[in-house]
Amino acid sequence: MNRFREEIEEEEAGPEPELKAVPKKPKTAEEKMDSNSFISKLFNDGLVSKEAATDALPYLCFLAFLGMIYIANSHFAVNNVRRIDKLNKEVKELRWEYKSLKADLMFKSKLTEVAKKVDTLGIKELIEPPKKIIVKSDEY
């Protein structure tokens, strides 16, 4: 049989020790700050030495610089998108204005509309067809 299983079964079969409740002392604000501060634990416990942190400083500055460039690039892109939307709206408005002006010009250039406008000046439409003037080549 498995000897590890036997050890586990022996541990489970043994009497369980009773745990005594130990009253906890309330921590002061300074102790809470010191014990809970991740950075202070990081440097005080020796996980990161001051030399290692100093050596990593250029790398961290480079990462901060890249982050700033990333943020600036996103702002620039958003401004470009807003400007493009604004210009698209302006193009749509100008297109509609062009179409309406073109329709007005087509309406006003009709023969009947032109006749109405010119009638006030005293010019009337010809009833008889126009006469063709023939010039001989030796007369000129």
Side-chain angles (χ1 to χ4, degrees):
M1 193 165 178
N2 194 348
R3 66 179 177 172
F4 292 114
R5 179 170 281 175
E6 290 174 3
E7 291 175 8
I8 292 173
E9 289 175 357
E10 287 176 8
E11 289 176 4
E12 290 177 357
E16 295 182 15
E18 293 183 22
L19 299 175
K20 296 180 182 178
V22 178
K24 294 183 180 180
K25 295 179 184 177
K27 294 182 178 182
T28 62
E30 292 176 3
E31 289 176 350
K32 287 181 182 178
M33 271 305 243
D34 288 338
S35 65
N36 292 336
S37 177
F38 173 73
I39 296 173
S40 66
K41 279 185 180 181
L42 195 64
F43 288 112
N44 291 336
D45 293 343
L47 295 175
V48 176
S49 65
K50 292 180 182 178
E51 292 81 21
T54 307
D55 291 342
L57 192 59
Y59 179 70
L60 292 175
C61 290
F62 178 69
L63 287 179
F65 178 70
L66 285 180
M68 289 170 45
I69 289 177
Y70 179 75
I71 291 169
N73 188 27
S74 66
H75 284 293
F76 182 70
V78 168
N79 286 338
N80 278 343
V81 167
R82 286 181 183 161
R83 190 174 47 186
I84 288 170
D85 287 341
K86 183 180 176 183
L87 290 174
N88 280 338
K89 288 179 184 178
E90 187 177 344
V91 166
K92 282 183 182 180
E93 289 175 10
L94 291 173
R95 188 178 297 138
W96 279 106
E97 185 178 348
Y98 164 75
K99 288 180 180 180
S100 64
L101 289 175
K102 184 178 176 184
D104 286 343
L105 180 64
M106 293 296 287
F107 178 73
K108 289 178 180 179
S109 64
K110 283 184 179 179
L111 182 63
T112 56
E113 291 297 317
V114 171
K116 286 180 188 175
K117 295 284 184 182
V118 177
D119 191 31
T120 58
L121 297 173
I123 301 173
K124 296 191 179 187
E125 189 176 350
L126 289 177
I127 299 173
E128 55 189 51
K131 297 178 183 175
K132 188 174 183 180
I133 301 174
I134 300 174
V135 179
K136 296 181 182 175
S137 62
D138 58 344
E139 289 180 10
Y140 182 65

